[in-house]
Amino acid sequence: MTKTFLARLTAVAAPFVLALGLGSAPQLAGAQTPAAPQAAASAAAAPAPVAVPEKPAAPVAAPAATAKVDNPYGVGALWSQSDAVAKAVLAILAIMSMGSWYVIVTKLLEQMRMGRQARAVDNEFWNAGTVQAGTARLAEGSPFRFIADAGMQATQKHDGLRGKVDFADFVDLCIHRATERVQRRLGNGMSLLATVGSTAPFVGLFGTVWGIYHALTAIGVAGQASIDKVAGPVGEALIMTAIGLAVAVPAVLGYNWLLRRNITVMDDVREFSGELHSVILAGSAAA
């Protein structure tokens, strides 16, 4: 019975629902229709967008070249910022270095020249007929010629009070004296190398102590141990130490090297002196 009642109610309400749907459709269409012309009108009334020309891209600035900053704690800064004492220490070390290198170079050249002269003695002097002829063949200024001249003069000066001395002993004395003079001349400058090698580190150490003194003074004046107050004087002290060692080490090495070469050269000189003495005695005995 309930189903029959619902079916009847649906049949009666269906025409009313259909009528209401058809009536509301035109209203919705009318409400939506004017919006389209309005939108078109507003679109027409809006000004057209103006094309803005694009600006060219600004060139990218190249990175600035890195400026070369001078080392504020180098040797140049040390010389320009140091006081008279530090400059005096640097000047002394520079003079020591130049003197030692001058001695090293000159003594090396002298030793090489004496080596060539020793070979010339073997080729020229001993092949001569007499001592006078052999001496004339030797180069001027040669230590071998100096010794040969001393031996020849000994034969001519053996008179007067000298004549009371045995001839062989007198000739040996003159040749030995000339040989010792050659050795002393060959050793000239070696004492300078020894002095520089032993004192240059202490001169540099004095500069180091002076730089530390300035560092402590800067700390005391500033009232604080900041790195900018300490770096300069301490760097000055370290540079002084390094320069002192750089001056001393070549002097010590050069001294030992040249001393060993002097021994080799003097062996040739002493050998020549002994043979010359024997030749002079033999010549005087034959005469």
Side-chain angles (χ1 to χ4, degrees):
M1 184 173 179
T2 303
K3 292 180 179 180
T4 305
F5 175 74
L6 290 175
R8 290 179 180 178
L9 182 60
T10 302
V12 174
F16 294 98
V17 173
L18 181 61
L20 288 174
L22 293 174
S24 61
Q27 291 179 358
L28 292 173
Q32 293 176 356
T33 302
Q38 235 176 3
S42 61
V50 180
V52 179
E54 296 182 359
K55 294 182 179 180
V60 180
T66 304
K68 183 179 179 181
V69 180
D70 294 334
N71 184 9
Y73 306 119
V75 179
L78 169 62
W79 178 262
S80 61
Q81 299 174 8
S82 59
D83 56 0
V85 175
K87 289 181 178 179
V89 172
L90 286 175
I92 292 173
L93 290 175
I95 293 173
M96 285 183 171
S97 179
M98 290 186 294
S100 62
W101 280 109
Y102 173 79
V103 171
I104 290 173
V105 174
T106 55
K107 300 308 292 184
L108 179 61
L109 295 176
E110 182 180 2
Q111 291 171 351
M112 295 173 62
R113 183 173 62 253
M114 290 182 67
R116 292 193 300 267
Q117 292 169 350
R119 291 189 293 271
V121 167
D122 294 334
N123 298 328
E124 298 177 4
F125 182 82
W126 300 118
N127 294 326
T130 61
V131 176
Q132 294 86 346
T135 303
R137 293 182 181 182
L138 297 178
E140 292 288 342
S142 170
F144 299 96
R145 179 160 184 170
F146 175 74
I147 295 173
D149 287 337
M152 292 302 301
Q153 292 174 5
T155 61
Q156 299 172 3
K157 294 180 179 179
H158 191 253
D159 54 3
L161 292 177
R162 297 189 183 97
K164 297 180 180 181
V165 182
D166 184 69
F167 180 75
D169 293 339
F170 183 73
V171 173
D172 180 66
L173 175 64
C174 294
I175 293 178
H176 178 73
R177 186 185 303 152
T179 303
E180 292 298 322
R181 289 181 179 176
V182 171
Q183 184 176 5
R184 285 196 299 270
R185 187 177 68 181
L186 191 62
N188 290 340
M190 300 297 291
S191 59
L192 176 63
L193 294 180
T195 302
V196 172
S198 59
T199 59
F202 295 100
V203 176
L205 182 61
F206 174 78
T208 301
V209 175
W210 193 256
I212 294 175
Y213 162 73
H214 277 291
L216 296 177
T217 303
I219 293 172
V221 172
Q224 56 182 355
S226 58
I227 190 64
D228 57 339
K229 300 295 182 182
V230 180
V234 171
E236 173 183 333
L238 296 177
I239 290 175
M240 290 289 189
T241 303
I243 294 176
L245 294 176
V247 172
V249 171
V252 173
L253 295 179
Y255 175 83
N256 294 328
W257 182 45
L258 294 175
L259 186 62
R260 185 174 63 252
R261 290 177 60 89
N262 278 351
I263 294 174
T264 303
V265 173
M266 286 306 302
D267 287 342
D268 295 334
V269 173
R270 290 192 178 93
E271 181 180 353
F272 173 77
S273 300
E275 293 179 358
L276 178 64
H277 179 258
S278 300
V279 169
I280 292 177
L281 292 182
S284 63

